Amino acid sequence: MLAAPFLAPHDPLKVEMGQRLLPASYTNWLGTDHMGRDIFSRLLVGTKTTVGATFLILALSLLIGIPIGLISGYIGGLTDRILMRVVDALLAFPDYIVAIVICGLLGPGMSNLIIAVVIVKWVKYTRLVRGTVLSEKHSDYIAMARVNGLTPLHILRRHILPHVIGNVLVLATLDVGKTIVLIASLSYIGLGTQPPNPEWGSMLNEGNAFFHSAPQLMIIPGITIVIVVLFFNLFGDKLRDYFDVKNKQGGL
């Protein structure tokens, strides 16, 4: 993914109006777009933007959501109630609507899009982690850890966090596809990467006007999104099955 700009056979930003809307050929593997730019090169570089932003968003969401979920579930009381009201407020609306509102307030651009999506994503991980902590903190081994004088931080890091990681990894893997679609959707309506920089959603937007004369401008990035999302969904399902089997075996 990081090597995508170096693997691109052509400059994805180079405009050649004399080469516009060419079909696939040996020189241009997927043809050219309405400005003569190589579609394959733009698709490849767009992978770094779309998929790279997705993993950055999920990493930031985990860094925010996991600690808050641990604190909320373990401390409880007023802290838990306040944090859960914030979570409930963000979960009350669809991710797409909240992200559009935040992007509208911050302005278009990939940096603002990442901030907006992180704001709507971290709450799911907080709720998941909190639920795991609530189910584990009254266990016998946690009580023994307290009797032995272990600090709450040590208990959370050494005893509860390992129970959280598996569920979080499964949710994050399944969330990759949803995040890719969300980023592409926001870019499609002009709130993400701005032209001429390539991104799968913006490529769909640019090809919309040429759907009847050159449908490949929309079909190619659309199929790419479907394939990548399907791959991560299948991988997430396998990972979920693995941890379910592991938990069942651990309970025997």
Side-chain angles (χ1 to χ4, degrees):
M1 183 175 65
L2 294 175
F6 304 100
L7 297 176
H10 300 277
D11 183 353
L13 303 180
K14 185 178 181 181
V15 175
E16 295 185 58
M17 297 305 292
Q19 304 293 320
R20 63 193 304 268
L21 300 178
L22 293 179
S25 65
Y26 179 77
T27 305
N28 304 104
W29 296 349
L30 297 177
T32 61
D33 66 4
H34 61 292
M35 300 187 72
R37 300 170 297 195
D38 183 61
I39 294 176
F40 178 74
S41 298
R42 289 181 62 78
L43 196 70
L44 201 59
V45 176
T47 303
K48 179 183 177 182
T49 304
T50 306
V51 181
T54 296
F55 283 111
L56 177 59
I57 286 169
L58 293 178
L60 293 174
S61 299
L62 293 177
L63 288 175
I64 297 171
I66 292 177
I68 294 178
L70 290 172
I71 293 170
S72 178
Y74 191 82
I75 294 178
L78 180 61
T79 300
D80 181 49
R81 289 196 295 273
I82 293 174
L83 291 174
M84 284 305 101
R85 294 300 77 76
V86 175
V87 169
D88 291 340
L90 289 173
L91 289 175
F93 302 94
D95 292 352
Y96 188 71
I97 300 300
V98 177
I100 288 179
V101 172
I102 296 174
C103 281
L105 294 174
L106 297 178
M110 184 54 70
S111 298
N112 291 338
L113 183 148
I114 290 173
I115 293 172
V117 179
V118 168
I119 290 174
V120 301
K121 285 292 180 183
W122 69 269
V123 292
K124 295 181 180 179
Y125 298 98
T126 294
R127 171 160 283 187
L128 175 65
V129 171
R130 173 183 176 270
T132 305
V133 173
L134 290 176
S135 65
E136 294 291 333
K137 74 174 185 178
H138 298 299
S139 302
D140 292 338
Y141 72 95
I142 298 297
M144 289 298 298
R146 293 195 189 100
V147 170
N148 289 331
L150 296 182
T151 63
L153 181 61
H154 189 90
I155 293 173
L156 287 172
R157 181 176 59 84
R158 185 169 182 178
H159 295 289
I160 296 181
L161 187 59
H163 290 274
V164 168
I165 294 300
N167 293 332
V168 167
L169 286 178
V170 171
L171 178 59
T173 305
L174 292 171
D175 217 16
V176 170
K178 296 178 182 178
T179 306
I180 288 175
V181 172
L182 181 57
I183 291 173
S185 299
L186 293 173
S187 294
Y188 179 79
I189 62 176
L191 295 176
T193 299
Q194 300 300 298
N197 296 316
E199 192 276 331
W200 294 347
S202 63
M203 289 176 68
L204 283 171
N205 184 25
E206 291 175 352
N208 185 42
F210 302 88
F211 182 70
H212 294 290
S213 58
Q216 70 273 15
L217 297 187
M218 290 193 72
I219 291 174
I220 291 173
I223 291 177
T224 302
I225 293 172
V226 170
I227 291 174
V228 173
V229 169
L230 181 61
F231 168 78
F232 280 107
N233 285 345
L234 292 174
F235 181 70
D237 288 338
K238 295 293 184 182
L239 197 64
R240 180 177 56 194
D241 294 340
Y242 168 77
F243 280 105
D244 282 345
V245 172
K246 186 177 179 180
N247 291 334
K248 290 178 182 178
Q249 290 176 346
L252 294 178

